C-alpha cells in the first residue's frame, strides 16, 4: 500500500507542478490537477494535502502571535485572542481563499476578489487587535 500511495503522490505532484507552471497559482485548477494525475478529488483529499488548511492555520497563528509581540515591543499592545476564535477565523479565511481555486475562478475575477477579501480580513484583524 505504501508504494501505491507514494506513486499517487508523485503523480499529483507532477500534475500540480505542470498546472501551476502553465497557469500560475490563481489560474491553476484542482480539477485539472486530479484529472492529469488520474485520481479522484476524494483521493486527492485523502493524501498528505488533506490537512494543508490546518497546517497553514498553524503557521498563520504563529505569525499572528509574532505580530502581536512586535506591536507590544512598539508600545502598541493588542489583546490576546481566544485560541478557539483565532482558529475559527484563520481557517475560515483560508477556506475563503481556497474557494477561488475550487470554483476555478477566472484570474481577473480572482484578483478582484482577493483584493476585497484582503481588505475585509485586514479590517477585521485590526479591529480584534485593537489597532
Amino acid at each position: 500500500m505504501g508504494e501505491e500511495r507514494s506513486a499517487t503522490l508523485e503523480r499529483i505532484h507532477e500534475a500540480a507542478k505542470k498546472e501551476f507552471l502553465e497557469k500560475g497559482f490563481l489560474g491553476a485548477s484542482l480539477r485539472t490537477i486530479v484529472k492529469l494525475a488520474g485520481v479522484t478529488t476524494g483521493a486527492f483529499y485523502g493524501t498528505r494535502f488533506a490537512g494543508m488548511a490546518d497546517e497553514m492555520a498553524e503557521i498563520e497563528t504563529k505569525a499572528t502571535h509574532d505580530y502581536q509581540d512586535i506591536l507590544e515591543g512598539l508600545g502598541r499592545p493588542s489583546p490576546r485572542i481566544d485560541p478557539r476564535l483565532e482558529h475559527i477565523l484563520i481557517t475560515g479565511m483560508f477556506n475563503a481563499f481556497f474557494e477561488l481555486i475550487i470554483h476555478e475562478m477566472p484570474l481577473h475575477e480572482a484578483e478582484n476578489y482577493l483584493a476585497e477579501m484582503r481588505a475585509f480580513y485586514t479590517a477585521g484583524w485590526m479591529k480584534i487587535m485593537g489597532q
Side-chain angles (χ1 to χ4, degrees):
M1 186 70 148
E3 279 186 37
E4 182 180 326
R5 182 170 185 219
S6 180
T8 300
L9 283 174
E10 182 62 30
R11 287 195 318 271
I12 291 170
H13 286 155
E14 289 302 315
K17 182 178 176 181
K18 181 181 187 301
E19 181 74 355
F20 283 109
L21 286 173
E22 286 179 10
K23 299 179 183 170
F25 177 74
L26 294 177
S29 162
L30 177 61
R31 288 185 185 131
T32 301
I33 292 169
V34 296
K35 183 178 177 182
L36 288 171
V39 298
T40 65
T41 305
F44 173 82
Y45 286 116
T47 68
R48 68 182 176 94
F49 298 108
M52 185 170 69
D54 288 329
E55 290 173 30
M56 292 174 69
E58 287 178 29
I59 293 167
E60 184 68 18
T61 299
K62 182 183 179 329
T64 300
H65 296 170
D66 291 347
Y67 179 68
Q68 287 181 305
D69 292 343
I70 290 169
L71 287 174
E72 188 171 332
L74 294 172
R76 297 175 56 193
S78 67
R80 292 296 170 179
I81 304 165
D82 177 278
R84 290 175 296 181
L85 175 61
E86 184 176 45
H87 177 79
I88 291 166
L89 293 173
I90 289 172
T91 55
M93 179 179 70
F94 281 119
N95 284 321
F97 294 149
F98 291 147
E99 286 294 310
L100 301 175
I101 298 167
I102 291 167
H103 294 288
E104 299 181 12
M105 182 83 50
L107 181 58
H108 69 281
E109 290 180 32
E111 289 172 336
N112 290 334
Y113 286 150
L114 277 174
E116 289 183 35
M117 290 189 302
R118 186 178 307 122
F120 173 83
Y121 285 109
T122 299
W125 284 111
M126 296 301 284
K127 175 72 174 170
I128 287 173
M129 292 183 175
Q131 300 299 309

